[in-house]
Amino acid sequence: MSRSNGSRTRQSPRALKITFRAKLAPGENVLILGATGVTGKLAVRIAKLLGAARVVAAGRNQQILNSLRQLGADATIRLDTSAKDLHEAFVREAGEFVLRPL
């Protein structure tokens, strides 16, 4: 990361919380809300590098969601949809999960 972009430098430590606070164990499934932001993108990559079995990225920007598979996302969920469609997407893509807020 470049120091010339201060926002990226400040965001990086938050993404690293996935290692220390979420206590991700290899083989677990991960749902990342807000995956279209800088921290979310980092979290997608870090989760995969730490051995997550399945990484589901959720956000509102479809263009960025489309690019997250290159960072390791196995599936994406668009958050700005109807409640019914959102519920179906979470069940289909994320299945059962434990919520561990960072």
Side-chain angles (χ1 to χ4, degrees), residues 57-63 65 76-81 85-86 89:
R60 289 182 173 79
N61 185 320
Q62 187 62 54
Q63 185 176 359
L65 285 172
T76 60
I77 297 173
R78 189 161 178 172
L79 295 176
D80 56 353
T81 187
D85 289 344
L86 189 59

Side-chain angles (χ1 to χ4, degrees), residues 13-27:
R14 287 188 221 156
L16 296 176
K17 287 183 182 182
I18 196 168
T19 304
F20 303 105
R21 294 204 41 199
K23 297 183 172 106
L24 174 66

Side-chain angles (χ1 to χ4, degrees), residues 5-72:
N5 185 337
S7 64
R8 287 187 177 187
T9 303
R10 285 191 302 273
Q11 296 288 336
S12 300
R14 287 188 221 156
L16 296 176
K17 287 183 182 182
I18 196 168
T19 304
F20 303 105
R21 294 204 41 199
K23 297 183 172 106
L24 174 66
E28 288 185 320
N29 296 331
V30 177
L31 169 64
I32 299 172
L33 300 173
T36 55
V38 173
T39 302
K41 290 180 203 174
L42 284 168
V44 168
R45 188 70 185 132
I46 290 168
K48 207 56 164 181
L49 288 172
L50 290 175
R54 183 165 172 79
V55 176
V56 179
R60 289 182 173 79
N61 185 320
Q62 187 62 54
Q63 185 176 359
I64 294 174
L65 285 172
N66 292 341
S67 71
L68 292 177
R69 289 187 187 270
Q70 295 172 341
L71 295 177

